[in-house]
Amino acid sequence: MWLLLTLSFLLASTAQDGDKLLEGDECAPHSQPWQVALYERGRFNCGASLISPHWVLSAAHCQSRFMRVRLGEHNLRKRDGPEQLRTASRVIPHPRYEARSHRHDIMLLRLVQPARLTPQVRPAVLPTRCPHQGEACVVSGWGLVSHNEPGTTGSPQSQG
């Protein structure tokens, strides 16, 4: 199942480009109300974050012509009630985004209709400073946590 995961780690100054987080734990449903799923032609494409009722922040490499936005999502394989479907009216990649190197890999999406704020759909509280070395951080996103076998969890090959 594709479920929303959180990954906890300590910020280290030795992180290299290409380092990957390979394990996580399933989030309590709707505990990350800013988490957004971007879809392209009905298929999950990327994760993103709601930063205001009108704006979503994601990676520029996720940009597509047929992008739809789902908010209030937990399990990507089923609808459980609080989901909201939106369309992007404007896609604004970083002006210096480089597809080959992924430099400046960030974009904003303006929603045609603003998100309806609920307990399951809320903007992220943006930080006021950068984290310090050794400070605990949490990352969230969707990943595969089961191979449909009892007692198994995701593996590096199955992470999304």
Side-chain angles (χ1 to χ4, degrees):
M1 292 186 290
W2 283 91
L3 299 170
L4 192 58
L5 305 175
T6 57
L7 302 131
S8 298
F9 63 97
L10 291 177
L11 185 65
S13 62
T14 59
Q16 299 291 319
D17 285 352
D19 283 353
K20 303 235 184 294
L21 300 172
L22 300 176
E23 294 184 20
D25 296 308
E26 180 182 348
C27 295
H30 311 295
S31 63
Q32 315 296 312
W34 54 84
Q35 192 73 46
V36 174
L38 301 180
Y39 282 76
E40 179 181 6
R41 297 181 186 197
R43 294 186 62 166
F44 175 73
N45 184 32
C46 283
S49 296
L50 184 68
I51 59 171
S52 83
H54 288 279
W55 292 96
V56 169
L57 180 69
S58 191
H61 74 262
C62 297
Q63 176 175 269
S64 77
R65 282 205 256 152
F66 304 100
M67 201 170 338
R68 298 293 299 243
V69 177
R70 278 185 22 199
L71 308 114
E73 193 60 88
H74 176 70
N75 183 338
L76 299 181
R77 302 248 187 234
K78 69 176 190 173
R79 304 253 174 155
D80 57 1
E83 297 90 353
Q84 298 176 34
L85 184 61
R86 299 290 186 267
T87 304
S89 65
R90 214 167 148 205
V91 177
I92 308 169
H94 190 287
R96 293 192 316 243
Y97 169 60
E98 297 173 12
R100 176 171 268 153
S101 67
H102 289 294
R103 289 190 64 192
H104 309 293
D105 190 11
I106 194 166
M107 74 172 166
L108 285 170
L109 303 170
R110 175 140 176 111
L111 302 178
V112 171
Q113 178 185 8
R116 186 174 38 83
L117 300 184
T118 68
Q120 298 85 9
V121 176
R122 300 213 79 62
V125 177
L126 298 176
T128 57
R129 63 169 180 79
C130 292
H132 299 294
Q133 183 177 344
E135 190 171 346
C137 298
V138 174
V139 176
S140 63
W142 277 278
L144 189 60
V145 295
S146 171
H147 293 288
N148 294 325
E149 297 173 21
T152 63
T153 59
S155 68
Q157 292 77 30
S158 67
Q159 293 295 311

